[in-house]
Amino acid sequence: ANANAQTVTTAIEFADGAKMSVTYKALNYGQGQFMERVKQERFRTAVNQNAKDNPCGSVTLSKDMVFAGEKIAAGEYGLHFLLGDDGGFIAALSTTNAEGDKEIKQFPLKLAAVESHSQRLSIQIVAGEEVDQCIIALHFGKLGMTVNGSSAKAEKKDDAAKGK
């Protein structure tokens, strides 16, 4: 179901010239069967190994940005979705260091039930209230969340986390 999944790109350019783009495979979560299988440790291990080896997309930042209070350096990253021991989703960004080893930074996702249903992974970037802010919306089946982002300097980290 995912070998031929559509590739989607979403992007934003801020007033200060900073750019962010996300390109990803619109993964299919199988009418809820995926969430049943997540309860099995063997399944989670297999999914995580595959996800680490094969990013489902990429994230490109033209300058350092802040997301949910976390500063992310400018650059291009592999985008992965892993599963925690509790079955919760974890977003991960990967880079390759000078020695050629993959480094993965993980961000546990606080997904909650949403009214809308997205059969496939959906990532949207929309403009935030201020000219240096954006909102990233993630949907996995009947679960979703939003994350505040900012192209502002790291000093604004606390404001970004509070959604200001």
Side-chain angles (χ1 to χ4, degrees), residues 12-16 18-20 61-74 125-136 147-164:
I12 190 167
E13 182 173 352
F14 296 94
D16 65 2
K19 297 176 186 174
M20 172 191 178
L61 305 177
S62 68
K63 68 178 254 184
D64 295 358
M65 295 188 189
V66 176
F67 299 97
E70 186 84 29
K71 183 179 175 184
I72 308 295
I125 305 172
V126 297
E129 287 184 26
E130 302 295 328
V131 296
D132 63 352
Q133 295 176 348
C134 69
I135 299 168
I136 302 167
V147 173
N148 292 323
S150 174
S151 70
K153 294 184 175 118
E155 293 89 71
K156 285 194 151 185
K157 180 174 161 178
D158 291 336
D159 288 345
K162 294 175 188 166
K164 292 188 178 178

Side-chain angles (χ1 to χ4, degrees), residues 93-110:
L93 297 177
S94 65
T95 56
T96 303
N97 65 23
E99 292 78 36
D101 297 323
K102 187 180 286 186
E103 295 179 351
I104 297 179
K105 185 166 186 161
Q106 298 185 11
F107 305 89
L109 300 177
K110 296 176 182 159

Side-chain angles (χ1 to χ4, degrees), residues 21 32 47 124 138:
S21 67
V47 166
Q124 298 174 327
L138 298 170

Side-chain angles (χ1 to χ4, degrees), residues 8 20 24-25 39 43 51 100 106 142 152 163:
V8 180
M20 172 191 178
Y24 65 96
K25 286 280 196 183
K39 297 172 185 172
F43 180 75
Q106 298 185 11
K142 295 180 181 180

